[in-house]
Amino acid sequence: MTKVAMLGTGFIGDFYTYSLHGQRSRDRVQVIYSRDESRGKAFAAKHGIPKWTTSMHEAINDPGIEVVIIGLPNNLHLEAVKQAAQAKKAVFCTKPLGCNAREAREMLEAVEKAGVMHGYMEDLVYTPKTLKALQSVRGGAIGQVTWARSRETHPGPHSDWFWNREISGGGVLLDMGCHCIEIARSYIGKDIRPVEVVCWADTLVKPIDAEDNALGWVRYENGAIGQFEVSWSFRGGMDLRDEVMGTEGTLWVNNFLRTGFEMFTAGGKGGYVAEKAETEKGWIFPVGDEVVELGYTDMFTDLFRAYENKTQPRESFYDGYVVNEIMDACYKSAKSKKWEPVKLDIWRGAEKTGPIRVTRDYDSDHILVKEETMPDGRVKLILKNKKTGKITQTEVRK
Amino acid sequence: MTKVAMLGTGFIGDFYTYSLHGQRSRDRVQVIYSRDESRGKAFAAKHGIPKWTTSMHEAINDPGIEVVIIGLPNNLHLEAVKQAAQAKKAVFCTKPLGCNAREAREMLEAVEKAGVMHGYMEDLVYTPKTLKALQSVRGGAIGQVTWARSRETHPGPHSDWFWNREISGGGVLLDMGCHCIEIARSYIGKDIRPVEVVCWADTLVKPIDAEDNALGWVRYENGAIGQFEVSWSFRGGMDLRDEVMGTEGTLWVNNFLRTGFEMFTAGGKGGYVAEKAETEKGWIFPVGDEVVELGYTDMFTDLFRAYENKTQPRESFYDGYVVNEIMDACYKSAKSKKWEPVKLDIWRGAEKTGPIRVTRDYDSDHILVKEETMPDGRVKLILKNKKTGKITQTEVRK
Amino acid sequence: MTKVAMLGTGFIGDFYTYSLHGQRSRDRVQVIYSRDESRGKAFAAKHGIPKWTTSMHEAINDPGIEVVIIGLPNNLHLEAVKQAAQAKKAVFCTKPLGCNAREAREMLEAVEKAGVMHGYMEDLVYTPKTLKALQSVRGGAIGQVTWARSRETHPGPHSDWFWNREISGGGVLLDMGCHCIEIARSYIGKDIRPVEVVCWADTLVKPIDAEDNALGWVRYENGAIGQFEVSWSFRGGMDLRDEVMGTEGTLWVNNFLRTGFEMFTAGGKGGYVAEKAETEKGWIFPVGDEVVELGYTDMFTDLFRAYENKTQPRESFYDGYVVNEIMDACYKSAKSKKWEPVKLDIWRGAEKTGPIRVTRDYDSDHILVKEETMPDGRVKLILKNKKTGKITQTEVRK
Amino acid sequence: MTKVAMLGTGFIGDFYTYSLHGQRSRDRVQVIYSRDESRGKAFAAKHGIPKWTTSMHEAINDPGIEVVIIGLPNNLHLEAVKQAAQAKKAVFCTKPLGCNAREAREMLEAVEKAGVMHGYMEDLVYTPKTLKALQSVRGGAIGQVTWARSRETHPGPHSDWFWNREISGGGVLLDMGCHCIEIARSYIGKDIRPVEVVCWADTLVKPIDAEDNALGWVRYENGAIGQFEVSWSFRGGMDLRDEVMGTEGTLWVNNFLRTGFEMFTAGGKGGYVAEKAETEKGWIFPVGDEVVELGYTDMFTDLFRAYENKTQPRESFYDGYVVNEIMDACYKSAKSKKWEPVKLDIWRGAEKTGPIRVTRDYDSDHILVKEETMPDGRVKLILKNKKTGKITQTEVRK
């Protein structure tokens, strides 16, 4: 059993604790920290947690505690990480790591200096579908990845602090762009350097200062593009989809809104449907087990195993730092209206990655550009002459 | 930690052990039994199990063992259950419980007489989608269930013994009908008595004696129909789908072949796709985490919690017995070519369940039969006069 | 231009006329017949039809008219067909052909004796997807068909007469079973004799005398099963789906409720969604062009081309007669609670069709029963010894 | 009957002619022009066209011809349009209108000066789903459109000339971006001015000079974004999908790859599957009637009706010109790596369109930012104080 101090009693703290205590798990939250005593107490009662406290320091330094989990608003991550590092406790931090790259870097340096194990809780990289898809991609199933689109949109976050830029550090780009950026980066290859970004961000619908919609492209050194789409004004539930194009295939992952479970109800008595579902009547699309499908279960398995075995988890503070650097460049691009370089003072990936580009010889003189079966059964080939560069077509019957 | 003796090293023993040892689980297989020493040894090594034995008696009576899990061919269930009951160990048995109702009844009586906890490992009732769907149905989301279709089809089972009627006790009806019958029964209500069945079974494709395809309807006391469709000659993967109609709604569950994960691969290098996938090229439909999606994880959670808390699991040997009685009637019907009664000498559900039938008054004189919006915006009402029984139509503009 | 007399101004008359006058069509309705003058007049105005009449005889015998289309309640088909035959006009009749096989046979004999061209307007056999699917099946894409399921369910018909057995001749089985039976028959092969049926029919939900739900299996001479599922108590729209299993493949057709068009609307201002859609808010699933997707367009193309070219249309009165015979057997089985033979005094298909059953040799001594890739990459083969009949398994690495 | 001269015998000429002659159509191609006599002759024979010619001038000026349809490579559109205008024939031109905005403008001026009817054959705006979706959007079903994504990707075009920039004028951006741009523009509103664009274009996979992948955002005056994604290196078939977000809803249209028709074939004997399908084995996703689903049928209906009735078709040369201007800006942005203005010397839409932005009062003091049902049944409200701008949360039980 690993003993955990949970910091934060909000929506994410709830989800984390449900996951940690779910199924036949051997890990337990032993202390819960909340600024507000009544919320801490209620949370402890709900989840069967023995201790609650309004002192973050006390929670972190509780002698039985081995792992500190940070589920606090963005502007409190840095302070919590520093305290955990000082207490020499392993620390898992929710996303985004920092409000910006400067904070993220400070956290990374704090944990590395202290020599404590650290995990970046980017749950959406751990959804069962994503894990299997990444395995297929690494195994070569779709060839080299040329483009990865990750989309997260819903009608807006749960808690008031998200809507307050001083606490959240930004709008939907910071809140959800971090997910999409890391998902796309995982497909393209974490070893490949993100070079530059272009980003659009605007406040189209909500009466707030921060952006409620953002789009971005991250260009990687090999030419691949990571595309993100985030919105707080989507209607219809929570849309969590990824699409990946490779030179030899494609893959589509839908984590939430179309997963093989459909229900029509005339009466609207189905109870809670799913996170941000928006409707309880008509056609609804529930999710089987949300904590599994959103990646929490596999994330904690990876993090606790890494903690026990003293190995590297899939996502560490370094990944959180990279994502924050990309987002900083995005905010810059949204203002400058041009591509902006991703500044990565700390780079731990490959030094140089050549371009994608795959060619297949048709015969000694020609490259095969394309092959297609026509409605009448003919097979059309598009060939390029290697010497002249001329492109011609020919037909064969198969 | 609960210590388990696993009986059987086949496909299902593997799946069970993966589930039991998966994620952050606190339960462990401590002894593995196989008739074949080398297979037992290999299984133990693969799963990190400390002991292996070729003696079923030894495995069951190992002093540290609390729970015996039976993953053996159908014709060995009875003997294994008797031994576990004698050893006063809790016992979880794979599906179908018996080769027929007589065997199932003997097992039920053995465990009840011995007073040991017993679980029927009907995993497909525990898929995350099914659990959530059942909760919605019980909550009234689709009104009263009138029809539940459960379908399991694939290109045929993994092991040779399935194809041998002496060991398996039957064909696809026994092998997979048991799943579908219990799923439909769960939707309709386990408290409602299954009254009669009609079944078609034939050997259409495979060079075997037993049936390779079967269809059936189970009529329940309230008029609802549980429909099953099973096949060992389906091409295209494993099709696990349920559809439920209620008076106020409908629900569709796809557990395996269309779950929001789609991949195209030109090269066929994606590795293992999913159980019985049939193809590694072109469009394939992998499953995120199979042991979760097939219900193993939630099944073991329910069974071990029930064991620890001395409560009833969702599925006990009694349920296995009911399913075997229904299947016996199905085999009879397939021969007699007519509806056959379900003989249930032991019945623990409701004594009498009235018919479904829902009526809604339109006004004091009329029942509303139907309401529909037409292409041009008119709303058409079909009304029945309560006195005369005459049916008329009228139109309103909304 | 072919000139048409349309009999009937109900829902189906509307749909037929929209289809006939749609796109760049060269055929026109020239006379509309309705018992009710005001309805006939309104219909003529709406569709730009030059003449209307309350005399069926006048409509049919109008000198310019070449083709008579019957869109009347079931109990009027026979009379209309007789008059058209007498007038030596080509006649297309809506489904079901008769209220029973006796009527259908009388119609068939009337048109054949008169030597007029006749078409059975079974539109659902003509949906673009069904036409293409049938072509693939005939081309061998899924091998020999072993099972075809056709399902049509919705919340109940549009007009009062459907609910009145004297006019309709029956309930949902007659109204919609005719579609499903002919679809399944088309997949299995119209040349293969339907031998026997078992049918369940009940009045579960609606306050009516006729059945509101029915299920059936039609067994064909080669062993294949045509399965139909019809309901007037389905909630959630109109569900029109077919599934076909063959020895070499499978196919799934969804004609209406999931066709690649999904819309979420918070406000419910989307207007008419689709036939029997039930909801205008939340997630809705409109259909692109209903008259195309429901088969009307391709049906009329086939019928008018056959008329012009003096060839056979895909569906003639003979097909309508076969379907009526199958339904008569179904009604009998629903009462007798056993399989009932399909009486086909007129049979124009193949005289004798042998059983399905496909075997593939593995080597000279063994038949290959099954082949499957396991999670760890091994390929498992199930083999049957040709002499001993013994079934064994073996593994190969690919 | 309208008599047509078809210019071009390539893939698109074939598709156009099939559509024109399909079903019960009253329009006919009377002359076919091809530079190559044998191809023209073969085409005429195949489609039953009475005349063929190798002189474009002859075809256009044939006295019986009313409408000229241009299905030629991009670099020949201008010349053909000029000749048709001179001959005072109505002219329908395939997409893109010009190789660039200069050419498009010249064509627009030519037809307007000559006073001939002109249609821009942007078929994908006419798919049955798109037409119905546009109707819903105009009716207010999803509120104000904030974002429209249109995607067209496949493994590369059919004919050699596409791959040759001198003839085609560009790569995938010009070839398919024109579709996506006009689809998104149709959803957002053709009356709203496209203001600026940012575009990424690269040659990632194919051995060619032109771009084989491109992405772009078009920002409209009201803040809405039209997003396009085009690729000639997609694997898995032809992916034609649109997604639209509005302030009150969302809609998803899949025109080709997932339309409710799925087939698994072990043998690969299904024949032609669909345009650019890539595979004939395993799971395939045929399309019912391609000429309908791709919009050709409805496009010709609109164009010929407009011609007959002397009204405006949905898509005219002016629309083609706007699309070319947007694409010119895209090519510029792909080079400059920043947002580029859309130069529209001819603008016929609204003069000034205000920003989107929708607010809903909660009470006199607060704006409702968001409302959500939580897993435990509570309803959380996010409110903004109108005076202080402070955002707070509150909970209600429903």
Side-chain angles (χ1 to χ4, degrees), chain C residues 20 34 77 106 238 281 316 337:
Chain C
L20 278 168
S34 173
H77 295 185
E106 209 173 330
M238 180 156 69
K281 242 180 155 172
S316 75
K337 306 198 74 171

Side-chain angles (χ1 to χ4, degrees), chain D residues 180-200:
Chain D
C180 299
I181 286 166
E182 187 63 355
I183 290 167
R185 185 179 162 242
S186 298
Y187 281 115
I188 290 167
K190 285 163 112 181
D191 211 37
I192 303 172
R193 186 188 276 267
V195 176
E196 56 182 351
V197 304
V198 66
C199 174
W200 164 89

Side-chain angles (χ1 to χ4, degrees), chain D residues 127-174:
Chain D
T127 78
K129 287 170 188 161
T130 305
L131 289 177
K132 200 156 194 177
L134 286 170
Q135 196 184 347
S136 291
V137 169
R138 292 289 92 82
I142 63 167
Q144 294 181 66
V145 173
T146 58
W147 174 81
R149 174 218 199 193
S150 182
R151 174 174 176 82
E152 179 171 7
T153 65
H154 60 54
H158 312 271
S159 296
D160 49 7
W161 68 261
F162 280 96
W163 304 90
N164 183 334
R165 198 182 261 175
E166 282 72 51
I167 305 178
S168 64
V172 71
L173 165 53
L174 190 71

